[in-house]
Amino acid sequence: MTTFSKEVNQTNKTISMENCIVGVVDDHVLFAQSLQGLINSFDGFEVALMARNGNDLINKLSTVNKEPSIILLDINMPIMNGFETIAWLNENKPNIKVITLSMDDDEETIIKMLKAGSKGYLLKDIHPDTLHLALTEVLTKGHFYTDNVTTALLRGVSKKDEESLLENFSSRELEFMELACSDKTYKEIANEMCLSPKTIDNYRDTLFKKLEVKSRIGLVLYALKNKIVNN
Amino acid sequence: MTTFSKEVNQTNKTISMENCIVGVVDDHVLFAQSLQGLINSFDGFEVALMARNGNDLINKLSTVNKEPSIILLDINMPIMNGFETIAWLNENKPNIKVITLSMDDDEETIIKMLKAGSKGYLLKDIHPDTLHLALTEVLTKGHFYTDNVTTALLRGVSKKDEESLLENFSSRELEFMELACSDKTYKEIANEMCLSPKTIDNYRDTLFKKLEVKSRIGLVLYALKNKIVNN
DNA sequence: AACGCTATGGGGAATTTCCCCCTATTTAAC
DNA sequence: GTTAAATAGGGGGAAATTCCCCATAGCGTT
């Protein structure tokens, strides 16, 4: 079967050694591969790494010969999401510039990724030209901020800074929250997490205080609104 | 700036008159344009119509010279969504075959689109080869059903058919559901609705049975997922 | 008039949730 | 090297929730 990348390589565009190497990390294969074709059609850019999530990226980075300068990173991915991935990249590959490419224009999400060092935050409904511009700008100036980014920052700063940045949940707490957002009793959750119901009591109480809610319903609503878990 | 479609037209693939004309309706421009390139790279297929939503499609259909045989239709779009669009197509362009191409793998959504006559339901994370296969099959056999579709149908049919289309909530039940989706106790809800807590008990129990949930959490999740109330 | 349906309320019991209190270990931070 | 946070566990009791039953009143249909 004819694949897209083959076709693109048959265009008159020469893929030279000086091209900026781009990586694409997205679990939507169709989107990712289409994106690859699009970027390969840009002069001076070349996609040399495709991954379906953070974990996949880590594996492929270790085997690749040409490390990407820029990585286009999705957020909602199975196994290892965008937040976890950018954290890993900061630790292990600080030279790779990350541009977030997400469907989600939630302000807190935008701020979260920018604080994590994302050099840009593009929505997936942008024009291809904007993507080209973003890649060019990040390569030359080091960053590319669209309007949604600045407005998010402005509002985020003026409203509540530290307070709203409550991404201070431990992994165990997040695990619990995920399960709390389901039609299960705490007893069942305790079994699933291999913990005593009393320990679950503690996680619940701690979170109630942290989130300033009075009941499990409030916790669920918080988790869903802030997309800590998705329905 | 070099656009993607230009590049693709420079490939050695000949776009003949016998090509199957495909339309793409999606508000994610980046995705849509990438998709266009991908489909154009398939032998025998050609994208000749791009629209950002149903309304845009209607306008463009009236001006286009070559009407598409197949339309790839997104669901979540501004102004006029996929449900409205397929309904319009059924009325006005019954010969155009629709393949739904969505992010949403919710069973009710899948069934809704299939009932509306969608010839296939693809998730956006499928492999490009699957898209090619889907286009070919829809062109030759008239339909292409992936696993997610059949499982959705099986479960939907076996469990409850008409019944599952339960937009049969009384206004009082809806009122209750709205309040149930908040960090309030039933007692508070009773006060707010000027009812005895015991009556609230009854609303709760009735809804639990109707929705097949075991707890208020389940009810909240149902209400939010089906957008009966919005968070 | 009889039937069904919805809205309304209730009794009582079992379970779950919530909210205090407490300890202990391990790991990270300062 | 103490402090702090994360992790895990527990007691006891009050309150809320869940889950069965049940009854009545009203309203429209046949």
Side-chain angles (χ1 to χ4, degrees):
Chain A
M1 183 172 291
T2 318
T3 70
F4 184 52
S5 45
K6 267 190 215 148
E7 289 293 338
V8 166
N9 289 341
Q10 286 164 10
T11 67
N12 58 1
K13 187 181 144 248
T14 51
I15 294 184
S16 74
M17 277 299 138
E18 301 143 32
N19 275 336
C20 169
I21 307 296
V22 178
V24 174
V25 185
D26 198 314
D27 60 319
H28 293 73
V29 184
L30 197 55
F31 178 74
Q33 275 200 241
S34 308
L35 195 62
Q36 179 187 29
L38 178 65
I39 294 170
N40 280 339
S41 81
F42 296 155
D43 279 328
F45 293 96
E46 179 190 350
V47 175
L49 197 157
M50 306 277 286
R52 302 183 63 130
N53 56 64
N55 215 290
D56 193 22
L57 173 70
I58 294 172
N59 290 333
K60 285 181 175 157
L61 271 178
S62 64
T63 60
V64 85
N65 50 350
K66 290 189 291 183
E67 199 161 271
S69 313
I70 299 176
I71 282 181
L72 291 172
L73 182 63
D74 189 21
I75 295 179
N76 289 315
M77 295 179 293
I79 302 165
M80 186 169 173
N81 66 28
F83 300 121
E84 299 168 307
T85 308
I86 198 169
W88 185 89
L89 285 169
N90 285 338
E91 272 294 311
N92 300 279
K93 302 283 178 185
N95 291 328
I96 300 181
K97 291 180 175 62
V98 173
I99 302 176
T100 309
L101 186 57
S102 169
M103 298 264 301
D104 196 352
D105 63 346
D106 179 60
E107 290 189 0
E108 285 196 51
T109 310
I110 295 175
I111 291 176
K112 212 161 140 187
M113 284 307 281
L114 290 177
K115 286 219 168 188
S118 180
K119 305 302 181 194
Y121 194 107
L122 302 176
L123 296 174
K124 283 187 179 173
D125 61 355
I126 54 162
H127 193 274
D129 289 352
T130 310
L131 177 65
H132 190 183
L133 188 60
L135 287 170
T136 312
E137 294 271 290
V138 168
L139 199 60
T140 54
K141 293 201 309 181
H143 55 84
F144 177 77
Y145 300 133
T146 39
D147 283 351
N148 59 331
V149 169
T150 39
T151 53
L153 282 174
L154 283 173
R155 280 216 260 173
V157 167
S158 68
K159 204 189 287 176
K160 37 175 185 171
D161 201 353
E162 318 302 275
E163 183 199 7
S164 81
L165 300 174
L166 17 70
E167 310 320 341
N168 39 6
F169 298 114
S170 73
S171 67
R172 214 59 175 144
E173 279 176 332
L174 289 172
E175 219 177 306
F176 165 74
M177 255 198 270
E178 180 111 31
L179 290 167
C181 294
S182 70
D183 201 5
K184 289 170 184 159
T185 67
Y186 288 131
K187 206 183 282 181
E188 292 172 313
I189 294 173
N191 278 333
E192 210 155 315
M193 288 181 71
C194 297
L195 289 177
S196 133
K198 274 303 185 182
T199 309
I200 292 297
D201 271 19
N202 270 323
Y203 280 112
R204 175 180 28 74
D205 294 349
T206 314
L207 282 172
F208 279 8
K209 272 171 200 147
K210 232 187 242 188
L211 307 181
E212 295 176 46
V213 297
K214 300 195 309 293
S215 72
R216 184 171 163 187
I217 302 291
L219 190 147
V220 169
L221 293 175
Y222 178 92
L224 291 177
K225 178 146 56 182
N226 296 285
K227 307 204 157 84
I228 291 168
V229 308
N230 26 12
N231 190 357
Chain B
M1 184 175 289
T2 318
T3 71
F4 185 51
S5 44
K6 268 191 215 147
E7 287 295 336
V8 165
N9 289 343
Q10 286 164 9
T11 68
N12 56 359
K13 186 180 144 250
T14 52
I15 293 184
S16 74
M17 276 300 134
E18 302 142 32
N19 275 337
C20 169
I21 307 295
V22 178
V24 174
V25 185
D26 198 313
D27 60 318
H28 292 72
V29 184
L30 195 55
F31 178 74
Q33 275 201 241
S34 308
L35 195 62
Q36 180 187 28
L38 177 65
I39 295 170
N40 280 339
S41 81
F42 295 154
D43 280 329
F45 294 96
E46 178 190 350
V47 175
L49 197 157
M50 305 277 288
R52 302 184 63 129
N53 56 64
N55 215 291
D56 193 21
L57 173 69
I58 296 172
N59 291 334
K60 284 181 176 157
L61 271 178
S62 64
T63 61
V64 86
N65 51 349
K66 290 188 291 184
E67 200 162 90
S69 313
I70 299 176
I71 281 180
L72 291 172
L73 183 63
D74 190 21
I75 295 179
N76 290 315
M77 294 179 293
I79 301 165
M80 185 169 173
N81 67 28
F83 300 120
E84 299 168 305
T85 308
I86 198 168
W88 184 91
L89 286 169
N90 286 338
E91 272 293 310
N92 301 278
K93 302 284 177 186
N95 291 328
I96 300 181
K97 292 181 174 62
V98 173
I99 302 176
T100 309
L101 187 57
S102 169
M103 296 264 300
D104 196 352
D105 65 346
D106 179 61
E107 289 189 1
E108 285 195 53
T109 309
I110 295 175
I111 290 175
K112 213 162 143 189
M113 283 308 280
L114 289 178
K115 285 212 173 188
S118 180
K119 305 302 182 194
Y121 193 107
L122 302 177
L123 296 175
K124 284 188 178 173
D125 60 355
I126 54 162
H127 193 272
D129 288 353
T130 310
L131 177 65
H132 191 185
L133 189 60
L135 287 170
T136 312
E137 294 271 288
V138 168
L139 199 59
T140 56
K141 294 201 309 183
H143 55 85
F144 177 77
Y145 300 133
T146 38
D147 282 352
N148 59 333
V149 170
T150 38
T151 52
L153 282 174
L154 282 173
R155 280 217 260 173
V157 168
S158 68
K159 203 188 286 177
K160 34 175 187 170
D161 200 355
E162 321 300 278
E163 182 201 8
S164 86
L165 307 173
L166 19 69
E167 309 321 339
N168 41 6
F169 297 114
S170 74
S171 65
R172 212 64 173 140
E173 279 176 332
L174 289 172
E175 217 178 308
F176 165 74
M177 255 199 271
E178 179 109 31
L179 289 167
C181 293
S182 70
D183 201 4
K184 290 171 184 160
T185 66
Y186 287 131
K187 206 181 283 181
E188 292 171 314
I189 294 174
N191 279 332
E192 210 155 317
M193 288 181 71
C194 296
L195 289 176
S196 133
K198 271 305 186 181
T199 309
I200 293 296
D201 271 19
N202 271 324
Y203 280 115
R204 175 182 25 76
D205 293 348
T206 314
L207 283 173
F208 279 9
K209 272 170 201 145
K210 233 187 240 187
L211 307 182
E212 296 176 43
V213 298
K214 301 194 309 295
S215 71
R216 183 171 165 189
I217 302 291
L219 190 148
V220 169
L221 292 174
Y222 177 93
L224 291 178
K225 176 147 60 182
N226 296 287
K227 298 184 177 34
I228 290 167
V229 307
N230 26 12
N231 191 358

